[in-house]
Amino acid sequence: MKATSQSRRDFIKTASVAAASLPFAGALSSCAQESAPTKKIGFALAGLGELSTTQIAPALQNTQFCKLAGIVTGHPYKAEKWKAQYGIPDKNIYNYDNMEQMADNPDIDVVYVVTPNGLHAEHTIKAARAGKHVLSEKPMEVSVEKCQQMIDECKKAGKQLAIGYRLHFEPNNLECVRLAHEKVFGGVKLIQAGFGFHIGDPTQWRLKKDLAGGGCLMDVGIYALQATRYLSGEEPNEVSAFTTVTDPVKFSQVEESIVWQSKFPSGIIANCSSTYNADGLGSFKVSAEQGWFDMNPAFQYHGNHGVRGDGEEINFTDIDQFAAEMDDFAQCILENRPTKVPGEEGLRDVKIMMAIYESARTGKTVTLA
Ligand code: NAD
């Protein structure tokens, strides 16, 4: 199959039939529906920082099933700016202390939590108690307990909870899942994955333990961890790790760089890395019995592509990953079906990341249940 020459529609047709049994892959087919929606799901964005401003709000304009209905912000000047830019009525503008008043607002169906990691539970719980579905950014939270609280509160409210794993909707990652799960190059044996970047401002919340939960692993290493899980289709049963800090002033609370290895029940081994203090890391490579394939870059908003050992390119047409993710969640709500990226998926990553930190701390391999 020559991936480069395939249209997205052909790809979706092939991939959704071939991979219908894969929870990771299944999500894409649903975002490809072309019928006009009867009702658009109203999203309120909680946290109007970088991601909301540059990705999510623009992506909402590209959705079929969603609309930007409201905002939650602690800054009145941001409220004014967003109100003017997106025509949001005053009655749909909230702050973090009056979110419970959303209960009386039928314009808002979903709260998309885009605040620092350590506030996801607080804002998710407020939204759920106001009777709203929740889409929370990754990482789900900074502890297993807080993830579980988010799941419990949404369940109690009878509302859906999804985690913002945009790559579950990205055609090139999806094609790699197909290559791995269908054993196109034989059984997978080894996965290498890494994601990192050079972090700037030393005062930002990403370097503070209470708000971030950890360093590069929680922020971007999670993409490498996710890749090992969706490519293997398995959960790791052992992890070992170590961290390093070469700038103890900037990285006084969280790790600067980390490497970890994990072993999966079938015998697949993964070798992963993440950093906040170097560039050029953002790919994966899968080695199988009779060949290999890679993606470099693998985790970007746009331009992910790869190569197979037989010389074929993996280069499907770019999509708006955030629009696909939100459209899929909207359809889950409209059709009353479960999301492919539920809170339980976010919880699994946080459990594994806590085991990775434990290994780095103790110098011992940690076994996962
Ligand atoms: P940001 O710092 O740009 O924005 C965070 C927002 O939260 C700001 O508007 C800030 O005012 C608000 N906030 C509310 N209470 C706060 C507090 N006590 N301290 C600091 N800020 C507070 O961050 P971001 O890059 O937009 O990231 C937000 C979330 O999105 C994080 O969980 C991050 O991991 C996630 N994220 C996901 C992706 C992705 O590709 N899915 C990309 C970037 C960020």
Side-chain angles (χ1 to χ4, degrees):
M1 184 181 64
K2 179 87 180 154
T4 17
S5 60
Q6 224 184 4
S7 72
R8 177 160 182 261
R9 186 192 299 267
D10 289 341
F11 165 74
I12 288 160
K13 231 190 287 169
T14 317
S16 59
V17 171
S21 61
L22 308 176
F24 173 74
L28 186 64
S29 58
S30 58
C31 68
Q33 290 183 11
E34 285 168 7
S35 57
T38 45
K39 169 183 165 26
K40 287 202 173 195
I41 294 293
F43 276 65
L45 301 186
L48 306 180
E50 180 74 14
L51 187 66
S52 286
T53 306
T54 63
Q55 301 297 327
I56 300 174
L60 273 163
Q61 317 308 311
N62 293 333
T63 56
Q64 259 191 287
F65 301 96
C66 317
K67 62 177 183 226
L68 176 55
I71 49 176
V72 181
T73 178
H75 301 284
Y77 74 90
K78 285 192 191 171
E80 286 308 311
K81 190 166 173 278
W82 280 63
K83 196 169 114 178
Q85 187 170 356
Y86 292 107
I88 298 166
D90 284 329
K91 69 179 180 61
N92 293 2
I93 297 176
Y94 296 88
N95 61 52
Y96 298 105
D97 297 324
N98 67 9
M99 286 176 71
E100 75 284 350
Q101 290 170 19
M102 280 186 194
D104 304 320
N105 191 335
D107 293 353
I108 295 167
D109 303 290
V110 174
V111 175
Y112 193 159
V113 176
V114 202
T115 49
N117 311 340
L119 298 172
H120 291 176
E122 179 187 330
H123 299 144
T124 293
I125 291 166
K126 283 183 175 171
R129 288 184 181 168
K132 306 301 173 187
H133 302 280
V134 178
L135 176 51
S136 167
E137 260 311 327
K138 50 53 58 182
M140 185 171 174
E141 247 291 355
V142 301
S143 72
V144 167
E145 294 70 27
K146 288 174 89 178
C147 293
Q148 192 59 55
Q149 275 171 20
M150 291 165 74
I151 293 170
D152 293 345
E153 288 279 346
C154 289
K155 232 169 231 161
K156 198 159 97 189
K159 296 291 153 186
Q160 291 221 38
L161 170 61
I163 308 302
Y165 287 128
R166 59 186 166 78
L167 291 167
H168 286 236
F169 305 88
E170 200 278 317
N172 294 289
N173 275 265
L174 185 51
E175 169 64 359
C176 290
V177 172
R178 187 189 72 79
L179 294 174
H181 293 211
E182 289 184 5
K183 298 186 170 36
V184 172
F185 295 101
V188 171
K189 296 294 175 192
L190 286 158
I191 303 170
Q192 295 173 63
F195 198 12
F197 68 101
H198 217 116
I199 201 161
D201 178 8
T203 65
Q204 65 186 287
W205 65 261
R206 281 184 166 81
L207 298 171
K208 300 194 169 114
K209 181 93 169 38
D210 56 341
L211 286 174
C216 53
L217 172 63
M218 297 290 284
D219 191 25
V220 288
I222 188 172
Y223 288 93
L225 169 61
Q226 273 270 304
T228 64
R229 292 181 53 236
Y230 55 66
L231 291 164
S232 67
E234 299 177 24
E235 300 301 333
N237 45 17
E238 277 178 43
V239 292
S240 61
F242 60 87
T243 56
T244 184
V245 170
T246 63
D247 181 345
V249 176
K250 193 165 187 179
F251 300 100
S252 62
Q253 297 188 27
V254 301
E255 82 278 2
E256 175 184 318
S257 298
I258 186 164
V259 294
W260 74 97
Q261 294 176 322
S262 44
K263 194 168 163 188
F264 294 80
S266 68
I268 295 173
I269 287 178
N271 199 16
C272 301
S273 48
S274 184
T275 182
Y276 262 162
N277 210 8
D279 295 317
L281 195 60
S283 62
F284 62 69
K285 180 165 186 172
V286 178
S287 303
E289 288 160 313
Q290 290 123 33
W292 58 271
F293 52 94
D294 69 12
M295 286 276 289
N296 188 12
F299 310 121
Q300 300 297 317
Y301 299 144
H302 296 287
N304 298 316
H305 60 87
V307 180
R308 307 165 22 148
D310 58 7
E312 297 281 332
E313 280 184 54
I314 303 168
N315 196 10
F316 291 104
T317 310
D318 248 1
I319 63 161
D320 183 329
Q321 297 166 34
F322 290 99
E325 163 200 289
M326 290 187 281
D327 263 343
D328 186 71
F329 194 43
Q331 287 173 90
C332 289
I333 292 163
L334 289 165
E335 296 164 13
N336 195 25
R337 62 173 168 79
T339 167
K340 310 289 185 189
V341 284
E344 287 78 2
E345 175 70 5
L347 170 62
R348 274 193 285 273
D349 277 342
V350 172
K351 271 188 184 157
I352 299 165
M353 290 192 290
M354 294 305 136
I356 290 170
Y357 283 134
E358 185 187 333
S359 173
R361 210 170 41 243
T362 61
K364 293 186 175 140
T365 296
V366 175
T367 304
L368 286 141

